[in-house]
Amino acid sequence: MITEHAILPVIAGRESDFEAAFDTARHIISAIPGFRGLTLSRSIESPSEYLLLVDWDTLDDHTIGFRTSESYQQWKALLHEFYEPFPVVEHFELVSEVSPTA
Protein backbone atom coordinates (compact mmCIF):
# COMPACT_ATOMS: atom_id res chain seq x y z
CA MET A 1 0.00 0.00 0.00
CA ILE A 2 1.15 3.55 -0.70
CA THR A 3 -0.14 6.89 0.58
CA GLU A 4 -0.59 9.86 -1.70
CA HIS A 5 0.12 13.11 0.17
CA ALA A 6 -0.93 16.55 -1.06
CA ILE A 7 -1.14 19.94 0.62
CA LEU A 8 -4.03 21.69 -1.12
CA PRO A 9 -3.67 25.50 -1.09
CA VAL A 10 -7.25 26.66 -1.60
CA ILE A 11 -7.87 30.24 -2.68
CA ALA A 12 -8.84 32.26 0.41
CA GLY A 13 -12.58 32.78 0.66
CA ARG A 14 -13.38 29.69 -1.43
CA GLU A 15 -13.02 27.10 1.33
CA SER A 16 -16.76 26.34 1.66
CA ASP A 17 -17.14 25.93 -2.09
CA PHE A 18 -14.08 23.67 -2.17
CA GLU A 19 -15.44 21.48 0.62
CA ALA A 20 -18.79 21.15 -1.17
CA ALA A 21 -17.05 20.21 -4.44
CA PHE A 22 -14.83 17.74 -2.60
CA ASP A 23 -17.91 16.06 -1.14
CA THR A 24 -18.95 15.26 -4.72
CA ALA A 25 -15.41 14.42 -5.91
CA ARG A 26 -14.82 11.86 -3.15
CA HIS A 27 -17.42 9.60 -4.74
CA ILE A 28 -15.48 9.71 -8.01
CA ILE A 29 -12.12 8.67 -6.54
CA SER A 30 -13.60 6.02 -4.26
CA ALA A 31 -14.82 4.07 -7.30
CA ILE A 32 -11.32 3.70 -8.78
CA PRO A 33 -9.73 0.22 -8.60
CA GLY A 34 -6.95 0.17 -6.01
CA PHE A 35 -8.44 2.98 -3.90
CA ARG A 36 -8.23 2.10 -0.18
CA GLY A 37 -9.49 5.26 1.52
CA LEU A 38 -8.80 8.93 2.08
CA THR A 39 -8.80 11.69 4.63
CA LEU A 40 -9.12 15.42 4.04
CA SER A 41 -8.05 17.68 6.91
CA ARG A 42 -8.13 21.47 7.21
CA SER A 43 -5.24 23.35 8.77
CA ILE A 44 -5.99 25.11 12.04
CA GLU A 45 -3.15 27.61 11.62
CA SER A 46 -3.70 28.20 7.88
CA PRO A 47 -7.43 27.62 7.23
CA SER A 48 -7.05 27.85 3.45
CA GLU A 49 -4.72 24.82 3.42
CA TYR A 50 -5.93 21.24 3.39
CA LEU A 51 -4.08 17.96 3.77
CA LEU A 52 -5.24 15.18 1.46
CA LEU A 53 -4.07 11.64 2.21
CA VAL A 54 -5.20 8.89 -0.15
CA ASP A 55 -4.31 5.23 0.31
CA TRP A 56 -3.82 3.14 -2.83
CA ASP A 57 -2.92 -0.51 -3.34
CA THR A 58 -0.09 0.47 -5.70
CA LEU A 59 1.51 3.58 -7.15
CA ASP A 60 0.20 2.62 -10.59
CA ASP A 61 -3.38 2.57 -9.26
CA HIS A 62 -3.01 6.31 -8.70
CA THR A 63 -0.61 7.48 -11.40
CA ILE A 64 -1.96 5.34 -14.23
CA GLY A 65 -5.34 3.92 -13.16
CA PHE A 66 -6.76 7.18 -11.81
CA ARG A 67 -4.75 9.93 -13.49
CA THR A 68 -5.33 8.60 -17.01
CA SER A 69 -9.04 7.87 -16.50
CA GLU A 70 -12.14 9.78 -17.51
CA SER A 71 -12.95 9.88 -13.79
CA TYR A 72 -9.85 12.00 -13.23
CA GLN A 73 -11.15 14.52 -15.77
CA GLN A 74 -14.33 14.82 -13.66
CA TRP A 75 -12.24 15.17 -10.47
CA LYS A 76 -10.11 17.83 -12.15
CA ALA A 77 -13.17 19.79 -13.36
CA LEU A 78 -14.61 19.82 -9.84
CA LEU A 79 -11.48 20.71 -7.85
CA HIS A 80 -8.59 22.21 -9.78
CA GLU A 81 -10.11 25.70 -10.00
CA PHE A 82 -9.71 26.08 -6.22
CA TYR A 83 -5.90 25.70 -6.01
CA GLU A 84 -3.36 28.53 -5.99
CA PRO A 85 -0.64 27.46 -6.47
CA PHE A 86 -1.25 23.97 -7.82
CA PRO A 87 -0.49 21.30 -5.17
CA VAL A 88 2.59 19.11 -5.15
CA VAL A 89 1.67 15.43 -4.83
CA GLU A 90 4.07 12.87 -3.36
CA HIS A 91 3.76 9.17 -2.59
CA PHE A 92 4.91 7.41 0.57
CA GLU A 93 5.46 3.83 1.71
CA LEU A 94 4.97 2.91 5.35
CA VAL A 95 8.23 2.44 7.24
CA SER A 96 7.00 2.27 10.83
CA GLU A 97 3.70 2.33 12.68
CA VAL A 98 2.90 2.72 16.36
CA SER A 99 -0.50 2.04 17.88
CA PRO A 100 -1.64 2.81 21.42
CA THR A 101 -1.40 -0.10 23.81
CA ALA A 102 -4.34 -1.26 25.88
Side-chain angles (χ1 to χ4, degrees):
M1 182 177 80
I2 63 106
T3 300
E4 169 194 355
H5 166 282
I7 300 292
L8 308 177
V10 172
I11 297 166
R14 303 219 42 216
E15 297 88 353
S16 293
D17 292 337
F18 167 73
E19 290 178 21
F22 192 88
D23 192 48
T24 299
R26 67 186 176 90
H27 299 289
I28 295 168
I29 196 171
S30 65
I32 300 297
F35 173 84
R36 303 279 303 265
L38 69 74
T39 61
L40 179 68
S41 303
R42 188 173 182 180
S43 172
I44 295 168
E45 292 80 12
S46 302
S48 293
E49 281 192 2
Y50 292 78
L51 170 63
L52 175 64
L53 299 174
V54 184
D55 291 330
W56 298 97
D57 285 333
T58 68
L59 181 61
D60 284 351
D61 288 331
H62 177 230
T63 59
I64 297 171
F66 181 49
R67 286 272 181 97
T68 63
S69 71
E70 179 59 35
S71 295
Y72 180 72
Q73 296 308 311
Q74 296 169 2
W75 170 274
K76 183 177 169 181
L78 282 167
L79 299 176
H80 286 197
E81 70 178 88
F82 294 103
Y83 307 138
E84 184 60 46
F86 195 77
V88 174
V89 175
E90 295 186 4
H91 301 91
F92 294 83
E93 292 180 305
L94 184 64
V95 173
S96 180
E97 184 174 36
V98 177
S99 298
T101 57

